[in-house]
Amino acid sequence: MRDNPVPPPDDLRLFHTGEHPCGYWPDRVARDLVFDPRDPRMAAHYPFALGWGFRRSGDIVYRPHCPGCRACVAVRIPVARFAPDRSQRRCLARNARVESRVCPAERTDEQFALYRRYLSARHPDGGMDTHGALEFDQFLVGSWNEGRFIELREDGRLLGVAVTDVIETALSAVYTFYDPDLRERGLGTLAILRQLEWARREHRTHLYLGYWIATHPKMDYKRRFQPLEGFDGRRWRDLDFGDWA
C-alpha cells in the first residue's frame, strides 16, 4: 500500500471542530479535523483518510488536531514484518482453543449483551455504559463502511468481538470488546493477533491500530506490537519511541 493514496477531490469538505474535553487526559481540551460525514463519497475516500492518519468512529472520520498537544500518534503494523514476541506467543498458547470467525457487521443479541457488560466494567459512569442498541449500531456498524466482526469463541461461548474495517490493501482495528471477567486471558491482545493473522492470509499490507499515546494507561499497550509505524503528519515511519514520547 502506498503511504498516501490518491488524494480525494478538492470539494471533499474537512471541518475543524470546536474545543471539547479530551477523552484521554481530563485536564486537557481537544479539537479534531473531521471529514463531512454526509458526503456520499466517504467510503471511496476512506483509504486515503487512513493513509493520512485519520480514524473512523461510527460515520465520523476524524484526526485529533489539538492546540499545543500532539500526543495522539496514528499507528499501524506492517503485517509482513510482524512476528509475535514471547508474551504474545504465550497469549496465543493460552487461548489456543479460542476459535475466530469473521462475521458480517450486524448486531446480535449475544454480542450486544457482551458489549453492555464490557462497558459497565471498563467505562463505568463514562457515558458509554448507557449505550443501547441504536448507539451500538451507530458506533460500531456505521452506514457506509465495509466492516466485519471477528467473533472469539471457546466451546461455543462468545468471549470477545473485534470490530474491523476492510479496505483493499489493509485492515483497521476499530474497537474490541470482551468478557470483563476474563482479563487474565489477554483477549484484547488476542484480538489484534487474530486480526494480523487474517491480514496475512489475505496478503494485506497493514493493520491500522488507531492512536498510540505514550504513557497513557489505556493506549500505550500498542507499543508492544513491533515493528510499529507512526504517522508524523507527512509520512509513515518506524516508531522510535524516544522521539515520540
Side-chain angles (χ1 to χ4, degrees):
M1 178 181 178
R2 291 172 292 181
D3 281 348
N4 297 316
V6 176
D10 292 338
D11 62 344
L12 187 63
R13 294 187 296 176
L14 190 66
F15 299 99
H16 205 167
T17 71
E19 292 186 350
H20 56 86
C22 176
Y24 302 110
W25 305 111
D27 59 338
R28 303 182 190 182
V29 295
R31 296 185 74 183
D32 300 307
L33 291 174
V34 180
F35 282 100
D36 184 354
R38 298 165 299 180
D39 194 303
R41 302 164 297 177
M42 197 61 243
H45 301 308
Y46 183 43
F48 161 84
L50 283 173
W52 279 94
F54 283 77
R55 180 87 170 143
R56 183 183 73 83
S57 178
D59 286 344
I60 303 299
V61 178
Y62 72 97
R63 186 172 80 183
H65 193 75
C66 306
C69 179
R70 295 295 180 267
C72 295
V73 179
V75 291
R76 67 186 187 184
I77 303 170
V79 175
R81 296 167 54 201
F82 174 79
D85 62 18
R86 177 183 294 182
S87 175
Q88 291 157 356
R89 292 195 298 271
R90 287 200 297 265
C91 179
L92 289 170
R94 185 165 57 245
N95 294 290
R97 294 176 54 238
V98 176
E99 298 180 345
S100 304
R101 185 178 68 166
V102 178
C103 308
E106 299 173 353
R107 168 178 42 86
T108 67
D109 291 343
E110 186 181 25
Q111 293 166 357
F112 181 58
L114 181 61
Y115 178 68
R116 290 293 305 271
R117 287 184 56 218
Y118 176 82
L119 293 182
S120 295
R122 294 295 299 269
H123 303 287
D125 302 318
M128 290 182 68
D129 55 324
T130 62
H131 275 196
L134 176 62
E135 288 81 8
F136 180 103
D137 291 345
Q138 289 175 335
F139 176 40
L140 300 179
V141 179
S143 64
W144 54 257
N145 58 291
E146 184 180 351
R148 298 289 186 273
F149 290 170
I150 303 180
E151 290 188 341
L152 304 176
R153 292 182 179 272
E154 186 175 67
D155 299 327
R157 175 189 174 193
L158 183 66
L159 304 186
V161 177
V163 182
T164 311
D165 281 348
V166 180
I167 64 173
E168 182 179 359
T169 57
L171 301 178
S172 179
V174 175
Y175 195 74
T176 298
F177 57 94
Y178 51 84
D179 189 330
D181 296 332
L182 300 176
R183 294 185 61 180
E184 75 284 353
R185 297 282 296 272
L187 295 174
T189 295
L190 179 66
I192 294 177
L193 295 172
R194 294 292 173 83
Q195 287 169 309
L196 283 163
E197 292 173 359
W198 177 20
R200 190 184 299 274
R201 285 196 307 271
E202 297 195 352
H203 307 289
R204 300 181 188 270
T205 58
H206 293 93
L207 173 65
Y208 288 85
L209 291 184
Y211 299 110
W212 165 69
I213 303 176
T215 73
H216 192 280
K218 292 185 178 180
M219 303 297 284
D220 197 32
Y221 74 91
K222 297 175 185 182
R223 72 163 66 221
R224 301 199 299 265
F225 294 87
Q226 295 288 330
L228 191 65
E229 298 175 351
F231 186 67
D232 65 7
R234 298 183 304 274
R235 63 186 178 91
W236 293 89
R237 58 185 176 89
D238 285 354
L239 280 176
D240 181 334
F241 292 102
D243 291 343
W244 296 74

